[in-house]
Amino acid sequence: MSILLIARRELRALLASAVGWVVLCGFLFVTGTMWTLSVFGYVAASSDVVYDPYAASQLTFTAVLLGPWFGNVSIILVLGAPALAMRAFSEELQQRTLELLLTSPVSTLEIVLGKYLGVLGYAALVLVATSYAPLGLFIVGSPDIGAIASGYLGLLCLASCVVSLGLLFSAFTASQLTAFIATFSVALGAYLVGVFDPDPDSWLTQLSLATHLVDLFRGAVRLSDLVYFAGVTGFCLFATWQRLESFRWR
Amino acid sequence: MTMLIRWSWLFGLTGFLSVVASFALWFVLGDVAGPPRAFALAGSILLMLWLILDRERLGDTVTSRAFTYGGTAVLMSIMAATLSGGLFVLARDHDQTWDWTGAGSFTVSEHTKTVCAGMDRDVEILAFYRARSWPEREFRDLARAIEEVCPRLTSTVVDPVSRPSLAEEHEVRVEDGVLVLTSSTGQTRRLEGRLDEERLTDALVVLLADKEHTLCWTQGHGEPSPDDEMSERGLGRVAFEIDDLNYRIQPVLTASEGIPRTCDAVIVASPESDWLPAERESLAVYIAEGGRVLALLEPDWAPDLAADFGRYGVELRGDIVLDLNPKNQLLGIDEPSFVVLTDDNLRAHPITASLGASVVLGVARSVSVDVNADGVSAREILVTSDQAWGETDLMGDAVGPDPEELQGKVPLMVVVEVIDPEALGVGSAATPKPSPAGAEAASGAAPTTDDAVAEAPASAPELDLNMAASRAVPADFAPSPGGRLVVIGDADFANNRFVDLGNNRDLFLNAIAWLVDEEDQLGERPASGDVLELTELEGAVLVLVSVFGMPGLAVFGAILAFVRRRRL
């Protein structure tokens, strides 16, 4: 129960903060512009392939429009989610309210999970706000609802990882900017690290966030991908918990 | 000694750097012997020295509260990371994939399952891909999925760079994407370039087929060419699909060549002008000798040919089928002549059994059967809803069902099997009299494109075309039961514009497969692409909503939130 109360408080704080609205507006503008360009590109491609049977058979909403768009949204998410998570503990450290929080009758783990769910909830709201784009396709065509759901599951998994990483870094510094830069740098590095290795089975590629999003953006939900995202999130939250515990024995 | 202890951290630092350098050299040189070992040894000695010299301070640190708790936290975090990594490795080794796509893009299609179920010999695939590349991974995923439903199929991935002799043996000149399929009976087939499930399955079909079927494509009456992939009316796209299977398309000029006996099936695709009696007789001879024919006959065109199908118990009326049932109309198109046929409209037959989606016909004519016709077994397999009729008065002001018109469930596609070829009347001096409906079609409904050609046979009886017809019957004519006929009152469904809609492509390919007895090829194939067209208004709305509308709403929400906050 305490977890949900903390989560609600965190969500309200984000809805009342400038950062939350800037992220929402910026996210909707950039993803909306990308969507518009993608759709126009798809329409042009549709007219180009009318008399090319093979190209026409490969031109599907999922593969050519939704998948790449989800990829673009994921990059924006890597930039936006750290901005949502950066204030979680940094602000408490800066305003010296963390001690107050730690001495309240809730466990450290509940605090971590509450803040995590609050920030993730806001990230989910931002993602839901973008759903008008793929769902609008139903007006002019028949997109694959399963592929859309799978794509959003992938984005939510990515948001979960980046938010938990943001919580970890924000627990280490009182500066929100430092927490943002550190989270963004590590998340972007983790996203792109697979680019440097052409081997899909190498540990470097398997470490990459992007590698585990590829199939989700195409409509295939793999157990290994879900375990990867759960593992990264779990580890970051655990490390955040340990970090906050250290304030108790210092 | 005190000085040495004071600066002992330098030993520690140098030792640590030496150990790091040792690992770096090992990584670069690929061998632990030599410099890596020397650095490791030196680093270890320096670290030992540091530990001995600075033991008191280290002891204090180790026993401190911060070290104890901090060390435990770090250790637990490492354990958490190890646990996460272990679970991931376990999940990857026992991976499961859930296909959320409606089209089943990550699930083996019914067509592939049918082909696999019919495999009567083992097939081995040698796949030449660069090791540890994305195309190799995609192939492995595909092969794993197909091998689950194809127990007689095995695949081996070969890196052409690491095994050049094997690559040379199979003439592999590119690094990625060459598949060599070999059956246990020695036949081979090669695939290069793009790879997907459909193409692999088609290659299997061709490999397993005992022969290549010759499909004769009749020409000379304005039929669309099988090479025409450009025009809307062309049938090049569906012909492209046929080419990937064990079929070979052979154009046939029926007026000069007749119908060759070497044809495994004949495709009569949308003739604009009529067939001469000799040509019609040649077709009848072919069917009577056990031949197979797919006829796509558009409304009004080739009325005499349409009427001649009466001898097979098929009645092609001179009408256009209109269906008012909303379920049978294209969404957004207020045009009842575009008929969408769903599950409810398909009658049980191997051709229609596997069609899961809809079939979209353009402007179609009704095709019914005479169940009492002699020598044939005929069935209707595609019918409209009961709110349809066959409109004959196309020029009239009041379009609607009239008593003399076909009403209710109007048939659009029929199949015929010839039991007694003697009953077809082949070889008689004159061609059989066209059925009344056919005659009505020939005289009542004016051809829309080439009136002169269409009316020529009726206006020039003095040419003794009946004699020409009798000449179409060869001296060694040998009637044989087993002839098959599929007649559809529409050709648009298979043209370049419509073929990717619903199950249109499957309907065409299934009809051919049934005609040539390739039962393994019947099935619903993987879904094809989506085409998107936007009007200018739709484009403007898209920009307005995506770029301005939604972000604008968020800005409005932000202003409201801050105004409300300031008031508090």
Side-chain angles (χ1 to χ4, degrees), chain B residues 443-462:
Chain B
S443 58
T448 53
T449 54
D450 194 343
D451 292 1
V453 176
E455 289 175 5
S459 60
E462 65 277 16

Side-chain angles (χ1 to χ4, degrees), chain B residues 199-210:
Chain B
R199 198 148 179 252
L200 184 57
T201 308
D202 288 348
L204 268 178
V205 167
V206 176
L207 188 73
L208 296 170
D210 292 324

Side-chain angles (χ1 to χ4, degrees), chain A residues 16 42 51 54 59 144 199, chain B residues 102 132 194 230 237 530 565:
Chain A
Y42 191 88
Y51 300 115
Y54 173 63
L59 190 75
D144 196 324
D199 178 2
Chain B
R132 299 176 173 279
R194 72 176 173 95
M230 299 303 290
R237 291 179 69 168
D530 306 307
R565 194 177 165 188

Side-chain angles (χ1 to χ4, degrees), chain B residues 25 76 85 107 204 348 434 483 528 564:
Chain B
L25 285 169
M76 285 175 70
T107 310
L204 268 178
S528 55
R564 197 175 152 197

Side-chain angles (χ1 to χ4, degrees), chain B residues 86-425:
Chain B
L87 280 174
F88 170 67
V89 171
L90 202 65
R92 208 179 64 162
D93 289 347
H94 301 85
D95 212 356
Q96 293 285 323
T97 303
W98 294 281
D99 186 355
W100 283 19
T101 60
S105 308
F106 299 89
T107 310
V108 177
S109 71
E110 287 302 316
H111 177 50
T112 305
K113 286 178 186 169
T114 310
V115 171
C116 288
M119 280 176 74
D120 57 354
R121 67 202 85 158
D122 294 333
V123 174
E124 189 191 357
I125 301 175
L126 271 184
F128 290 90
Y129 284 101
R130 280 303 305 274
R132 299 176 173 279
S133 63
W134 282 101
E136 184 223 8
R137 187 191 175 193
E138 283 176 9
F139 169 76
R140 274 195 280 123
D141 286 348
L142 177 64
R144 194 183 305 127
I146 293 183
E147 280 172 22
E148 276 181 21
V149 296
C150 279
R152 305 198 75 165
L153 182 76
T154 53
S155 64
T156 311
V157 179
V158 178
D159 186 345
V161 175
S162 62
R163 296 186 66 185
S165 56
L166 193 60
E168 188 64 31
E169 186 186 325
H170 289 92
E171 296 178 349
V172 176
R173 303 273 184 258
V174 291
E175 288 186 351
D176 278 335
V178 177
L179 300 189
V180 180
L181 290 81
T182 310
S183 73
S184 54
T185 49
Q187 292 103 328
T188 61
R189 183 151 178 92
R190 192 183 169 88
L191 272 182
E192 285 186 29
R194 72 176 173 95
L195 177 72
D196 52 31
E197 183 198 336
E198 187 180 6
R199 198 148 179 252
L200 184 57
T201 308
D202 288 348
L204 268 178
V205 167
V206 176
L207 188 73
L208 296 170
D210 292 324
K211 63 174 283 194
E212 186 181 60
H213 297 286
T214 302
L215 303 180
C216 294
W217 194 286
T218 61
Q219 293 196 322
H221 318 89
E223 293 95 339
S225 162
D227 298 325
D228 178 10
E229 293 179 8
M230 299 303 290
S231 69
E232 284 191 357
R233 192 179 160 245
L235 297 170
R237 291 179 69 168
V238 79
F240 176 86
E241 298 280 347
I242 291 172
D243 276 343
D244 257 2
L245 298 166
N246 56 326
Y247 302 128
R248 184 174 63 85
I249 293 177
Q250 180 187 330
V252 171
L253 276 168
T254 48
S256 56
E257 302 172 45
I259 306 287
R261 283 171 167 156
T262 52
C263 301
D264 292 304
V266 172
I267 299 176
V268 182
S270 188
E272 285 184 26
S273 56
D274 228 328
W275 285 38
L276 295 171
E279 292 174 288
R280 299 199 298 266
E281 197 63 11
S282 178
L283 187 70
V285 166
Y286 173 75
I287 293 172
E289 288 188 333
R292 313 293 171 88
V293 174
L294 170 64
L296 315 177
L297 299 172
E298 284 282 296
D300 282 347
W301 287 344
D304 285 349
L305 176 65
D308 197 49
F309 277 88
R311 71 165 87 185
Y312 315 112
V314 178
E315 185 177 349
L316 287 131
R317 288 175 170 250
D319 57 10
I320 286 179
V321 177
L322 305 175
D323 195 337
L324 294 181
N325 189 336
K327 196 182 166 192
N328 292 65
Q329 291 181 359
L330 271 181
L331 187 68
I333 296 181
D334 187 21
E335 175 55 73
S337 63
F338 283 83
V339 182
V340 181
L341 302 170
T342 58
D343 282 353
D344 302 338
N345 309 110
L346 308 178
R347 300 258 170 89
H349 190 270
I351 293 175
T352 54
S354 58
L355 304 183
S358 53
V359 172
V360 183
L361 303 183
V363 181
R365 73 199 300 172
S366 64
V367 187
S368 55
V369 296
D370 176 4
V371 288
N372 298 318
D374 292 335
V376 296
S377 163
R379 292 168 60 193
E380 296 159 354
I381 62 170
L382 224 60
V383 294
T384 63
S385 76
D386 53 10
Q387 295 179 37
W389 77 98
E391 180 62 52
T392 51
D393 184 17
L394 301 175
M395 296 302 175
D397 293 333
V399 173
D402 297 320
E404 71 277 10
E405 292 170 342
L406 206 56
Q407 293 180 38
K409 294 191 172 181
V410 180
L412 293 158
M413 178 178 182
V414 301
V415 290
V416 178
E417 291 181 74
V418 178
I419 300 161
D420 178 14
E422 302 286 355
L424 299 182

Side-chain angles (χ1 to χ4, degrees), chain B residues 396-539:
Chain B
D397 293 333
V399 173
D402 297 320
E404 71 277 10
E405 292 170 342
L406 206 56
Q407 293 180 38
K409 294 191 172 181
V410 180
L412 293 158
M413 178 178 182
V414 301
V415 290
V416 178
E417 291 181 74
V418 178
I419 300 161
D420 178 14
E422 302 286 355
L424 299 182
V426 178
S428 58
T431 50
K433 191 182 174 184
S435 67
E440 178 194 324
S443 58
T448 53
T449 54
D450 194 343
D451 292 1
V453 176
E455 289 175 5
S459 60
E462 65 277 16
L463 287 176
D464 192 15
L465 293 174
N466 287 341
M467 178 61 83
S470 65
R471 281 178 184 167
V473 182
D476 59 347
F477 171 59
S480 164
R484 284 183 179 180
L485 191 61
V486 176
V487 186
I488 308 174
D490 179 50
D492 295 330
F493 83 98
N495 71 22
N496 294 334
R497 185 181 171 201
F498 281 85
V499 70
D500 285 331
L501 294 177
N503 271 135
N504 285 14
R505 181 178 51 144
D506 296 321
L507 181 69
F508 187 90
L509 295 179
N510 282 3
I512 290 178
W514 181 74
L515 285 172
V516 297
D517 288 320
E518 287 276 3
E519 304 288 339
D520 291 348
Q521 292 197 32
L522 295 168
E524 188 178 5
R525 290 151 187 86
S528 55
D530 306 307
V531 172
L532 180 62
E533 291 172 350
L534 290 183
T535 61
E536 282 189 17
L537 178 67
E538 286 169 336

